[in-house]
Short mmCIF file of all heavy atoms in Angstrom, two decimals:
data_model
loop_
_atom_site.label_atom_id
_atom_site.label_comp_id
_atom_site.label_asym_id
_atom_site.label_seq_id
_atom_site.Cartn_x
_atom_site.Cartn_y
_atom_site.Cartn_z
N MET A 1 -10.81 19.24 -2.41
CA MET A 1 -10.44 19.84 -1.13
C MET A 1 -9.07 19.46 -0.74
O MET A 1 -8.30 20.36 -0.34
CB MET A 1 -11.43 19.31 -0.03
CG MET A 1 -12.85 19.85 -0.24
SD MET A 1 -13.86 19.47 1.19
CE MET A 1 -15.41 19.17 0.40
N SER A 2 -8.71 18.23 -0.89
CA SER A 2 -7.37 17.81 -0.58
C SER A 2 -6.50 17.96 -1.80
O SER A 2 -6.88 17.56 -2.87
CB SER A 2 -7.33 16.37 -0.04
OG SER A 2 -6.00 15.95 0.12
N SER A 3 -5.28 18.46 -1.62
CA SER A 3 -4.39 18.57 -2.77
C SER A 3 -3.42 17.38 -2.84
O SER A 3 -2.61 17.32 -3.68
CB SER A 3 -3.55 19.88 -2.66
OG SER A 3 -2.80 19.84 -1.50
N ILE A 4 -3.59 16.48 -1.90
CA ILE A 4 -2.71 15.33 -1.83
C ILE A 4 -3.16 14.31 -2.91
O ILE A 4 -4.23 13.84 -2.90
CB ILE A 4 -2.66 14.67 -0.46
CG1 ILE A 4 -2.20 15.69 0.55
CG2 ILE A 4 -1.85 13.38 -0.47
CD1 ILE A 4 -2.34 15.21 1.99
N THR A 5 -2.26 14.03 -3.81
CA THR A 5 -2.69 13.09 -4.89
C THR A 5 -1.88 11.81 -4.75
O THR A 5 -2.22 10.80 -5.39
CB THR A 5 -2.40 13.65 -6.30
OG1 THR A 5 -1.03 14.07 -6.37
CG2 THR A 5 -3.33 14.83 -6.58
N THR A 6 -0.84 11.80 -3.96
CA THR A 6 -0.08 10.58 -3.72
C THR A 6 0.08 10.37 -2.30
O THR A 6 0.48 11.30 -1.56
CB THR A 6 1.27 10.63 -4.43
OG1 THR A 6 1.15 10.98 -5.80
CG2 THR A 6 2.04 9.35 -4.31
N SER A 7 -0.18 9.18 -1.87
CA SER A 7 0.05 8.83 -0.47
C SER A 7 0.65 7.43 -0.47
O SER A 7 0.77 6.78 -1.47
CB SER A 7 -1.17 8.95 0.41
OG SER A 7 -2.17 8.08 -0.13
N LYS A 8 0.98 6.97 0.70
CA LYS A 8 1.58 5.63 0.77
C LYS A 8 1.14 4.92 2.02
O LYS A 8 0.80 5.57 3.01
CB LYS A 8 3.10 5.71 0.68
CG LYS A 8 3.74 6.40 1.84
CD LYS A 8 5.23 6.35 1.75
CE LYS A 8 5.89 6.82 3.02
NZ LYS A 8 7.33 6.68 3.01
N VAL A 9 1.20 3.63 1.94
CA VAL A 9 0.97 2.78 3.11
C VAL A 9 2.26 1.95 3.33
O VAL A 9 2.73 1.28 2.40
CB VAL A 9 -0.17 1.78 2.86
CG1 VAL A 9 -0.36 0.87 4.03
CG2 VAL A 9 -1.47 2.56 2.66
N SER A 10 2.87 2.12 4.51
CA SER A 10 4.09 1.37 4.75
C SER A 10 3.89 0.49 5.97
O SER A 10 3.25 0.87 6.94
CB SER A 10 5.27 2.35 4.95
OG SER A 10 5.04 3.19 6.06
N ARG A 11 4.50 -0.67 5.85
CA ARG A 11 4.46 -1.65 6.90
C ARG A 11 5.77 -2.36 7.00
O ARG A 11 6.52 -2.51 6.03
CB ARG A 11 3.37 -2.72 6.64
CG ARG A 11 1.96 -2.27 6.75
CD ARG A 11 1.61 -2.00 8.19
NE ARG A 11 0.11 -1.62 8.29
CZ ARG A 11 -0.31 -0.39 8.09
NH1 ARG A 11 0.50 0.60 7.73
NH2 ARG A 11 -1.62 -0.14 8.23
N TRP A 12 6.10 -2.72 8.25
CA TRP A 12 7.38 -3.53 8.43
C TRP A 12 7.09 -4.96 8.63
O TRP A 12 6.05 -5.34 9.19
CB TRP A 12 8.10 -2.98 9.70
CG TRP A 12 8.64 -1.59 9.56
CD1 TRP A 12 8.76 -0.89 8.38
CD2 TRP A 12 9.10 -0.72 10.63
NE1 TRP A 12 9.32 0.36 8.67
CE2 TRP A 12 9.51 0.45 10.02
CE3 TRP A 12 9.22 -0.91 12.00
CZ2 TRP A 12 10.02 1.50 10.77
CZ3 TRP A 12 9.69 0.12 12.75
CH2 TRP A 12 10.12 1.31 12.16
N ASP A 13 8.00 -5.82 8.12
CA ASP A 13 7.82 -7.21 8.37
C ASP A 13 8.62 -7.60 9.61
O ASP A 13 9.17 -6.73 10.36
CB ASP A 13 8.32 -8.04 7.17
CG ASP A 13 9.78 -7.86 6.81
OD1 ASP A 13 10.54 -7.43 7.71
OD2 ASP A 13 10.19 -8.11 5.68
N GLN A 14 8.64 -8.94 9.86
CA GLN A 14 9.28 -9.36 11.19
C GLN A 14 10.75 -9.12 11.22
O GLN A 14 11.42 -9.12 12.26
CB GLN A 14 9.03 -10.89 11.40
CG GLN A 14 7.60 -11.27 11.37
CD GLN A 14 7.31 -12.14 10.16
OE1 GLN A 14 7.49 -11.76 9.04
NE2 GLN A 14 6.77 -13.36 10.40
N HIS A 15 11.38 -8.94 10.01
CA HIS A 15 12.82 -8.68 9.90
C HIS A 15 13.17 -7.18 9.94
O HIS A 15 14.29 -6.82 9.77
CB HIS A 15 13.37 -9.33 8.67
CG HIS A 15 13.03 -10.76 8.50
ND1 HIS A 15 13.51 -11.72 9.31
CD2 HIS A 15 12.17 -11.35 7.70
CE1 HIS A 15 12.97 -12.88 8.99
NE2 HIS A 15 12.17 -12.70 7.99
N GLY A 16 12.12 -6.35 10.15
CA GLY A 16 12.38 -4.92 10.25
C GLY A 16 12.52 -4.23 8.86
O GLY A 16 12.93 -3.12 8.79
N ARG A 17 12.20 -5.00 7.81
CA ARG A 17 12.24 -4.34 6.48
C ARG A 17 10.96 -3.63 6.19
O ARG A 17 9.88 -4.09 6.49
CB ARG A 17 12.48 -5.43 5.42
CG ARG A 17 13.89 -5.93 5.40
CD ARG A 17 14.07 -6.99 4.35
NE ARG A 17 13.18 -8.13 4.62
CZ ARG A 17 13.48 -9.36 4.27
NH1 ARG A 17 14.55 -9.67 3.59
NH2 ARG A 17 12.60 -10.35 4.52
N GLU A 18 11.11 -2.48 5.55
CA GLU A 18 9.92 -1.69 5.20
C GLU A 18 9.44 -1.99 3.84
O GLU A 18 10.23 -2.16 2.87
CB GLU A 18 10.32 -0.21 5.32
CG GLU A 18 9.10 0.69 5.21
CD GLU A 18 9.46 2.19 5.17
OE1 GLU A 18 10.57 2.51 4.76
OE2 GLU A 18 8.64 2.95 5.66
N HIS A 19 8.16 -2.19 3.75
CA HIS A 19 7.51 -2.40 2.42
C HIS A 19 6.49 -1.29 2.21
O HIS A 19 5.74 -0.90 3.16
CB HIS A 19 6.76 -3.73 2.41
CG HIS A 19 7.73 -4.90 2.66
ND1 HIS A 19 8.42 -5.50 1.63
CD2 HIS A 19 8.06 -5.53 3.79
CE1 HIS A 19 9.18 -6.46 2.11
NE2 HIS A 19 8.98 -6.52 3.42
N VAL A 20 6.48 -0.70 1.05
CA VAL A 20 5.66 0.48 0.79
C VAL A 20 4.77 0.25 -0.42
O VAL A 20 5.25 -0.19 -1.45
CB VAL A 20 6.54 1.73 0.56
CG1 VAL A 20 5.67 2.91 0.21
CG2 VAL A 20 7.42 1.96 1.78
N VAL A 21 3.49 0.56 -0.26
CA VAL A 21 2.59 0.56 -1.41
C VAL A 21 2.19 2.05 -1.59
O VAL A 21 1.70 2.71 -0.68
CB VAL A 21 1.32 -0.28 -1.16
CG1 VAL A 21 0.30 -0.02 -2.26
CG2 VAL A 21 1.67 -1.74 -1.12
N LEU A 22 2.46 2.54 -2.81
CA LEU A 22 2.08 3.89 -3.13
C LEU A 22 0.62 3.94 -3.66
O LEU A 22 0.19 3.03 -4.32
CB LEU A 22 2.99 4.44 -4.22
CG LEU A 22 4.44 4.66 -3.82
CD1 LEU A 22 5.26 5.08 -5.05
CD2 LEU A 22 4.55 5.74 -2.79
N VAL A 23 -0.10 4.94 -3.20
CA VAL A 23 -1.45 5.14 -3.66
C VAL A 23 -1.55 6.39 -4.47
O VAL A 23 -1.37 7.50 -3.92
CB VAL A 23 -2.47 5.20 -2.47
CG1 VAL A 23 -3.88 5.43 -2.92
CG2 VAL A 23 -2.31 3.99 -1.55
N ARG A 24 -1.74 6.25 -5.75
CA ARG A 24 -1.70 7.41 -6.63
C ARG A 24 -3.10 7.64 -7.20
O ARG A 24 -3.72 6.73 -7.71
CB ARG A 24 -0.66 7.19 -7.78
CG ARG A 24 -0.42 8.44 -8.58
CD ARG A 24 0.94 8.33 -9.27
NE ARG A 24 1.26 6.94 -9.62
CZ ARG A 24 0.93 6.37 -10.81
NH1 ARG A 24 0.35 7.10 -11.70
NH2 ARG A 24 1.24 5.16 -11.07
N LYS A 25 -3.56 8.86 -7.10
CA LYS A 25 -4.91 9.17 -7.59
C LYS A 25 -4.79 9.50 -9.10
O LYS A 25 -3.99 10.30 -9.49
CB LYS A 25 -5.43 10.37 -6.84
CG LYS A 25 -6.97 10.47 -6.78
CD LYS A 25 -7.35 11.61 -5.94
CE LYS A 25 -8.86 11.85 -6.04
NZ LYS A 25 -9.24 13.10 -5.34
N SER A 26 -5.63 8.88 -9.90
CA SER A 26 -5.68 9.16 -11.31
C SER A 26 -7.12 9.17 -11.76
O SER A 26 -7.74 8.13 -11.82
CB SER A 26 -4.82 8.20 -12.10
OG SER A 26 -5.36 6.92 -12.08
N GLY A 27 -7.64 10.38 -11.97
CA GLY A 27 -9.06 10.46 -12.31
C GLY A 27 -9.93 10.00 -11.19
O GLY A 27 -9.72 10.42 -10.04
N GLY A 28 -10.91 9.19 -11.43
CA GLY A 28 -11.86 8.79 -10.38
C GLY A 28 -11.37 7.53 -9.61
O GLY A 28 -12.02 7.15 -8.66
N THR A 29 -10.28 7.03 -10.08
CA THR A 29 -9.84 5.75 -9.41
C THR A 29 -8.45 6.00 -8.81
O THR A 29 -7.82 7.06 -8.96
CB THR A 29 -9.77 4.57 -10.36
OG1 THR A 29 -9.43 3.41 -9.64
CG2 THR A 29 -8.74 4.85 -11.46
N ARG A 30 -7.96 5.04 -8.09
CA ARG A 30 -6.65 5.12 -7.53
C ARG A 30 -5.82 3.92 -7.98
O ARG A 30 -6.32 2.84 -8.07
CB ARG A 30 -6.71 5.15 -5.95
CG ARG A 30 -7.26 6.45 -5.41
CD ARG A 30 -7.30 6.45 -3.96
NE ARG A 30 -7.69 7.69 -3.36
CZ ARG A 30 -8.91 8.11 -3.21
NH1 ARG A 30 -9.92 7.30 -3.56
NH2 ARG A 30 -9.21 9.27 -2.71
N GLN A 31 -4.57 4.23 -8.17
CA GLN A 31 -3.66 3.12 -8.57
C GLN A 31 -2.71 2.79 -7.41
O GLN A 31 -2.05 3.65 -6.87
CB GLN A 31 -2.81 3.57 -9.78
CG GLN A 31 -3.56 3.75 -11.09
CD GLN A 31 -4.03 2.41 -11.66
OE1 GLN A 31 -3.44 1.34 -11.39
NE2 GLN A 31 -5.09 2.44 -12.47
N LEU A 32 -2.75 1.49 -7.07
CA LEU A 32 -1.82 1.05 -6.05
C LEU A 32 -0.60 0.40 -6.72
O LEU A 32 -0.68 -0.30 -7.71
CB LEU A 32 -2.49 -0.06 -5.20
CG LEU A 32 -3.81 0.34 -4.59
CD1 LEU A 32 -4.36 -0.86 -3.78
CD2 LEU A 32 -3.74 1.55 -3.74
N SER A 33 0.60 0.71 -6.19
CA SER A 33 1.81 0.09 -6.68
C SER A 33 2.75 -0.19 -5.59
O SER A 33 3.05 0.67 -4.76
CB SER A 33 2.44 0.97 -7.81
OG SER A 33 2.86 2.17 -7.25
N CYS A 34 3.16 -1.45 -5.54
CA CYS A 34 4.07 -1.87 -4.46
C CYS A 34 5.48 -1.61 -4.87
O CYS A 34 5.92 -1.87 -6.04
CB CYS A 34 3.86 -3.37 -4.26
SG CYS A 34 4.95 -4.04 -2.93
N SER A 35 6.29 -1.11 -3.93
CA SER A 35 7.67 -0.80 -4.26
C SER A 35 8.60 -1.98 -4.01
O SER A 35 9.76 -1.99 -4.42
CB SER A 35 8.19 0.35 -3.37
OG SER A 35 8.10 0.07 -2.05
N THR A 36 8.09 -3.09 -3.40
CA THR A 36 8.88 -4.24 -3.14
C THR A 36 8.78 -5.25 -4.32
O THR A 36 9.80 -5.79 -4.71
CB THR A 36 8.41 -4.91 -1.85
OG1 THR A 36 8.61 -4.00 -0.77
CG2 THR A 36 9.25 -6.17 -1.59
N CYS A 37 7.57 -5.42 -4.83
CA CYS A 37 7.38 -6.39 -5.94
C CYS A 37 6.69 -5.62 -7.06
O CYS A 37 6.55 -4.37 -7.04
CB CYS A 37 6.58 -7.57 -5.51
SG CYS A 37 4.86 -7.19 -5.04
N GLU A 38 6.34 -6.37 -8.11
CA GLU A 38 5.72 -5.69 -9.27
C GLU A 38 4.20 -5.62 -9.18
O GLU A 38 3.55 -5.43 -10.22
CB GLU A 38 6.09 -6.52 -10.55
CG GLU A 38 7.58 -6.47 -10.84
CD GLU A 38 8.08 -5.03 -11.07
OE1 GLU A 38 7.50 -4.36 -11.90
OE2 GLU A 38 9.00 -4.61 -10.39
N TRP A 39 3.67 -5.71 -7.97
CA TRP A 39 2.24 -5.73 -7.80
C TRP A 39 1.66 -4.32 -8.17
O TRP A 39 2.14 -3.34 -7.72
CB TRP A 39 1.94 -6.10 -6.36
CG TRP A 39 0.47 -6.20 -6.04
CD1 TRP A 39 -0.34 -7.27 -6.32
CD2 TRP A 39 -0.34 -5.30 -5.27
NE1 TRP A 39 -1.62 -7.04 -5.78
CE2 TRP A 39 -1.62 -5.83 -5.17
CE3 TRP A 39 -0.09 -4.05 -4.67
CZ2 TRP A 39 -2.63 -5.15 -4.44
CZ3 TRP A 39 -1.11 -3.39 -4.06
CH2 TRP A 39 -2.36 -3.97 -3.91
N ARG A 40 0.64 -4.39 -9.04
CA ARG A 40 -0.05 -3.15 -9.42
C ARG A 40 -1.53 -3.45 -9.36
O ARG A 40 -1.96 -4.52 -9.78
CB ARG A 40 0.28 -2.74 -10.79
CG ARG A 40 1.77 -2.47 -11.07
CD ARG A 40 2.12 -1.06 -10.58
NE ARG A 40 3.49 -0.75 -10.90
CZ ARG A 40 4.56 -1.11 -10.12
NH1 ARG A 40 4.32 -1.83 -9.02
NH2 ARG A 40 5.74 -0.79 -10.44
N ARG A 41 -2.30 -2.47 -8.94
CA ARG A 41 -3.75 -2.71 -8.92
C ARG A 41 -4.56 -1.43 -8.82
O ARG A 41 -4.20 -0.54 -8.02
CB ARG A 41 -4.05 -3.58 -7.67
CG ARG A 41 -5.49 -3.96 -7.58
CD ARG A 41 -5.69 -4.95 -6.47
NE ARG A 41 -7.06 -5.40 -6.50
CZ ARG A 41 -7.50 -6.48 -5.91
NH1 ARG A 41 -6.70 -7.25 -5.25
NH2 ARG A 41 -8.76 -6.86 -5.96
N PRO A 42 -5.59 -1.29 -9.63
CA PRO A 42 -6.50 -0.18 -9.45
C PRO A 42 -7.45 -0.47 -8.31
O PRO A 42 -7.85 -1.59 -8.11
CB PRO A 42 -7.22 -0.12 -10.82
CG PRO A 42 -7.22 -1.53 -11.34
CD PRO A 42 -5.99 -2.18 -10.76
N ALA A 43 -7.84 0.56 -7.62
CA ALA A 43 -8.79 0.43 -6.50
C ALA A 43 -9.68 1.64 -6.41
O ALA A 43 -9.20 2.80 -6.31
CB ALA A 43 -8.02 0.23 -5.19
N GLN A 44 -10.97 1.38 -6.58
CA GLN A 44 -11.91 2.54 -6.48
C GLN A 44 -12.26 2.78 -5.02
O GLN A 44 -12.39 3.95 -4.63
CB GLN A 44 -13.20 2.18 -7.25
CG GLN A 44 -13.08 2.53 -8.72
CD GLN A 44 -14.45 2.28 -9.38
OE1 GLN A 44 -14.86 1.18 -9.57
NE2 GLN A 44 -15.14 3.35 -9.73
N PHE A 45 -12.38 1.76 -4.25
CA PHE A 45 -12.78 1.93 -2.88
C PHE A 45 -11.72 1.39 -1.93
O PHE A 45 -11.12 0.34 -2.21
CB PHE A 45 -14.12 1.23 -2.63
CG PHE A 45 -15.20 1.64 -3.51
CD1 PHE A 45 -15.60 0.89 -4.57
CD2 PHE A 45 -15.77 2.93 -3.37
CE1 PHE A 45 -16.61 1.31 -5.42
CE2 PHE A 45 -16.78 3.37 -4.23
CZ PHE A 45 -17.22 2.54 -5.27
N LEU A 46 -11.55 2.04 -0.81
CA LEU A 46 -10.66 1.54 0.23
C LEU A 46 -9.30 1.15 -0.28
O LEU A 46 -8.83 0.03 -0.02
CB LEU A 46 -11.30 0.38 1.01
CG LEU A 46 -12.71 0.72 1.62
CD1 LEU A 46 -13.32 -0.50 2.22
CD2 LEU A 46 -12.57 1.79 2.74
N PRO A 47 -8.57 1.99 -0.97
CA PRO A 47 -7.30 1.62 -1.51
C PRO A 47 -6.30 1.24 -0.41
O PRO A 47 -5.42 0.43 -0.60
CB PRO A 47 -6.84 2.83 -2.35
CG PRO A 47 -7.60 3.98 -1.77
CD PRO A 47 -8.93 3.39 -1.33
N TRP A 48 -6.42 1.94 0.72
CA TRP A 48 -5.46 1.73 1.80
C TRP A 48 -5.68 0.30 2.42
O TRP A 48 -4.70 -0.30 2.79
CB TRP A 48 -5.55 2.81 2.86
CG TRP A 48 -5.21 4.16 2.27
CD1 TRP A 48 -3.93 4.65 2.14
CD2 TRP A 48 -6.08 5.12 1.69
NE1 TRP A 48 -3.98 5.84 1.50
CE2 TRP A 48 -5.27 6.17 1.20
CE3 TRP A 48 -7.48 5.20 1.52
CZ2 TRP A 48 -5.79 7.28 0.59
CZ3 TRP A 48 -7.96 6.30 0.85
CH2 TRP A 48 -7.15 7.37 0.43
N LEU A 49 -6.93 -0.08 2.44
CA LEU A 49 -7.21 -1.39 2.95
C LEU A 49 -6.58 -2.49 2.05
O LEU A 49 -6.01 -3.43 2.53
CB LEU A 49 -8.75 -1.60 3.06
CG LEU A 49 -9.20 -2.76 3.99
CD1 LEU A 49 -8.79 -2.48 5.43
CD2 LEU A 49 -10.69 -2.90 3.86
N LYS A 50 -6.74 -2.31 0.75
CA LYS A 50 -6.19 -3.26 -0.22
C LYS A 50 -4.65 -3.24 -0.13
O LYS A 50 -4.01 -4.30 -0.27
CB LYS A 50 -6.65 -2.90 -1.65
CG LYS A 50 -8.11 -3.24 -1.90
CD LYS A 50 -8.43 -3.13 -3.36
CE LYS A 50 -9.80 -3.76 -3.71
NZ LYS A 50 -10.88 -3.09 -2.99
N ALA A 51 -4.10 -2.10 0.07
CA ALA A 51 -2.65 -2.00 0.21
C ALA A 51 -2.21 -2.80 1.43
O ALA A 51 -1.20 -3.53 1.39
CB ALA A 51 -2.23 -0.52 0.29
N GLU A 52 -2.91 -2.63 2.53
CA GLU A 52 -2.58 -3.35 3.78
C GLU A 52 -2.69 -4.82 3.55
O GLU A 52 -1.86 -5.62 3.98
CB GLU A 52 -3.47 -2.89 4.92
CG GLU A 52 -3.15 -1.57 5.49
CD GLU A 52 -4.14 -1.12 6.52
OE1 GLU A 52 -4.82 -1.96 7.16
OE2 GLU A 52 -4.25 0.07 6.75
N GLU A 53 -3.74 -5.24 2.82
CA GLU A 53 -3.94 -6.64 2.53
C GLU A 53 -2.74 -7.23 1.76
O GLU A 53 -2.26 -8.28 2.05
CB GLU A 53 -5.22 -6.88 1.76
CG GLU A 53 -6.44 -6.92 2.64
CD GLU A 53 -7.72 -7.09 1.79
OE1 GLU A 53 -7.61 -7.31 0.56
OE2 GLU A 53 -8.77 -6.90 2.40
N HIS A 54 -2.32 -6.48 0.76
CA HIS A 54 -1.20 -6.94 -0.04
C HIS A 54 0.06 -7.10 0.74
O HIS A 54 0.78 -8.10 0.66
CB HIS A 54 -0.98 -6.03 -1.27
CG HIS A 54 0.31 -6.32 -1.97
ND1 HIS A 54 0.43 -7.40 -2.81
CD2 HIS A 54 1.52 -5.75 -1.90
CE1 HIS A 54 1.68 -7.46 -3.23
NE2 HIS A 54 2.39 -6.45 -2.74
N LEU A 55 0.34 -6.05 1.57
CA LEU A 55 1.53 -6.08 2.40
C LEU A 55 1.55 -7.23 3.31
O LEU A 55 2.60 -7.88 3.55
CB LEU A 55 1.65 -4.73 3.12
CG LEU A 55 1.98 -3.55 2.23
CD1 LEU A 55 1.78 -2.26 3.02
CD2 LEU A 55 3.40 -3.58 1.72
N ALA A 56 0.37 -7.55 3.91
CA ALA A 56 0.31 -8.66 4.87
C ALA A 56 0.43 -10.02 4.18
O ALA A 56 1.11 -10.87 4.68
CB ALA A 56 -1.07 -8.58 5.60
N GLU A 57 -0.25 -10.15 3.01
CA GLU A 57 -0.29 -11.44 2.37
C GLU A 57 0.99 -11.70 1.62
O GLU A 57 1.48 -12.85 1.62
CB GLU A 57 -1.51 -11.49 1.44
CG GLU A 57 -2.79 -11.59 2.16
CD GLU A 57 -3.99 -11.46 1.26
OE1 GLU A 57 -3.83 -11.50 0.01
OE2 GLU A 57 -5.09 -11.27 1.77
N ALA A 58 1.50 -10.75 0.87
CA ALA A 58 2.67 -10.99 -0.02
C ALA A 58 3.98 -10.87 0.73
O ALA A 58 4.92 -11.55 0.38
CB ALA A 58 2.61 -10.04 -1.15
N HIS A 59 4.03 -10.02 1.74
CA HIS A 59 5.29 -9.71 2.36
C HIS A 59 5.27 -9.97 3.87
O HIS A 59 6.27 -9.69 4.59
CB HIS A 59 5.73 -8.26 2.08
CG HIS A 59 5.75 -7.96 0.64
ND1 HIS A 59 6.56 -8.54 -0.27
CD2 HIS A 59 4.96 -7.10 -0.10
CE1 HIS A 59 6.33 -8.06 -1.47
NE2 HIS A 59 5.39 -7.18 -1.40
N ARG A 60 4.15 -10.41 4.37
CA ARG A 60 4.01 -10.66 5.81
C ARG A 60 4.43 -9.43 6.60
O ARG A 60 5.04 -9.52 7.69
CB ARG A 60 4.81 -11.88 6.28
CG ARG A 60 4.31 -13.13 5.66
CD ARG A 60 5.09 -14.33 6.09
NE ARG A 60 4.58 -15.59 5.50
CZ ARG A 60 3.59 -16.25 6.03
NH1 ARG A 60 3.00 -15.91 7.16
NH2 ARG A 60 3.16 -17.34 5.47
N ALA A 61 4.11 -8.23 6.07
CA ALA A 61 4.43 -6.99 6.71
C ALA A 61 3.21 -6.44 7.35
O ALA A 61 2.32 -5.95 6.68
CB ALA A 61 5.05 -6.03 5.71
N THR A 62 3.15 -6.48 8.66
CA THR A 62 1.90 -6.09 9.36
C THR A 62 2.12 -5.01 10.42
O THR A 62 1.22 -4.61 11.12
CB THR A 62 1.20 -7.31 9.99
OG1 THR A 62 2.16 -7.95 10.83
CG2 THR A 62 0.74 -8.30 8.91
N VAL A 63 3.41 -4.66 10.60
CA VAL A 63 3.71 -3.70 11.68
C VAL A 63 3.63 -2.27 11.10
O VAL A 63 4.34 -1.93 10.22
CB VAL A 63 5.12 -3.95 12.22
CG1 VAL A 63 5.42 -2.92 13.37
CG2 VAL A 63 5.20 -5.36 12.73
N ASP A 64 2.74 -1.49 11.68
CA ASP A 64 2.57 -0.07 11.27
C ASP A 64 3.58 0.76 11.98
O ASP A 64 3.57 0.94 13.18
CB ASP A 64 1.13 0.34 11.63
CG ASP A 64 0.89 1.79 11.09
OD1 ASP A 64 1.81 2.47 10.63
OD2 ASP A 64 -0.32 2.11 11.11
N PRO A 65 4.59 1.31 11.21
CA PRO A 65 5.61 2.09 11.83
C PRO A 65 5.09 3.41 12.45
O PRO A 65 5.77 4.02 13.30
CB PRO A 65 6.58 2.40 10.70
CG PRO A 65 5.76 2.26 9.47
CD PRO A 65 4.70 1.23 9.78
N THR A 66 3.90 3.84 12.04
CA THR A 66 3.37 5.10 12.56
C THR A 66 2.50 4.88 13.79
O THR A 66 2.01 5.84 14.39
CB THR A 66 2.58 5.82 11.53
OG1 THR A 66 1.45 5.07 11.17
CG2 THR A 66 3.43 6.14 10.28
N ALA A 67 2.16 3.58 14.10
CA ALA A 67 1.28 3.29 15.21
C ALA A 67 2.05 3.39 16.55
O ALA A 67 3.24 3.23 16.61
CB ALA A 67 0.72 1.94 15.10
ZN1 ZN B 101 4.42 -6.34 -2.96
#
């Protein structure tokens, strides 16, 4: 139904830097990849939640620029 195969989760840290995790659909799973570090991870469920977790834990980026 949705033609969107790539999306992203972006958060800002306290210094105003943007950190982005790309969510790419491949087959039945999704691949997360961080643009700030070399973090890569497959996620079957709740990929956006895992992306948010990584951004918060690895980069202390918790500010949602779209909120
Ligand atoms: Zn990262």
Side-chain angles (χ1 to χ4, degrees):
M1 291 191 215
S2 173
S3 61
I4 299 171
T5 55
T6 305
S7 58
K8 66 175 188 174
V9 177
S10 63
R11 289 290 184 275
W12 291 347
D13 63 20
Q14 304 113 302
H15 308 291
R17 285 178 299 211
E18 188 183 30
H19 300 274
V20 177
V21 170
L22 292 173
V23 181
R24 189 157 34 91
K25 204 174 172 188
S26 67
T29 185
R30 288 180 176 84
Q31 291 289 336
L32 307 180
S33 61
C34 180
S35 62
T36 299
C37 65
E38 293 301 305
W39 184 77
R40 300 280 184 275
R41 184 173 184 161
Q44 274 185 288
F45 303 106
L46 301 174
W48 296 277
L49 197 65
K50 287 190 167 62
E52 284 176 23
E53 276 177 12
H54 169 76
L55 291 167
E57 288 171 12
H59 306 297
R60 295 180 180 274
T62 55
V63 180
D64 185 348
T66 63

